[in-house]
C-alpha cells in the first residue's frame, strides 16, 4: 500500500465527487461504507459502525481529504 493510500484515522472522508448530486466516499476502519451527501450521512455510517460517540468536527477524529466537514460541493 502506498503512503498516499495509507490512512491512520478510523474514519476517512474522501474529496467531493462532482456528480449530481455530489457526494464524498466514506471509509471506516479501512472498508468503504458508502457515499455521503452530507455530514448527517457520515454520522449515520459511524453510528452503524458503532462509533456514534465520535465527534466528526473535532480535530483528528476524522480524516477529511479535500475539504472539511462542511465541504459538500466541488470547488
Amino acid at each position: 500500500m502506498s503512503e498516499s493510500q495509507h490512512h491512520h484515522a478510523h474514519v476517512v472522508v474522501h474529496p467531493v465527487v462532482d456528480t449530481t448530486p455530489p457526494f464524498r466516499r466514506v471509509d471506516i476502519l479501512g472498508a468503504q461504507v458508502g457515499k455521503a451527501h452530507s455530514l448527517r450521512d457520515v454520522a449515520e455510517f459511524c453510528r452503524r459502525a458503532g462509533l456514534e460517540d465520535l465527534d466528526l468536527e473535532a480535530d483528528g477524529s476524522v480524516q477529511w481529504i479535500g475539504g472539511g466537514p462542511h465541504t459538500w460541493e466541488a470547488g
Side-chain angles (χ1 to χ4, degrees), residues 12-16 24-25 39 42 56 62-75:
V12 179
V13 182
H14 294 271
V16 173
R24 297 178 78 169
R25 194 181 92 225
L39 187 58
V42 178
L56 299 177
V62 176
Q63 182 176 0
W64 295 92
I65 302 172
H70 301 289
T71 301
W72 294 98
E73 293 183 6

Side-chain angles (χ1 to χ4, degrees), residues 45-59:
F45 293 140
C46 291
R47 185 194 67 76
R48 291 179 190 175
L51 300 172
E52 58 270 334
D53 293 331
L54 188 67
D55 183 351
L56 299 177
E57 298 189 53
D59 290 340

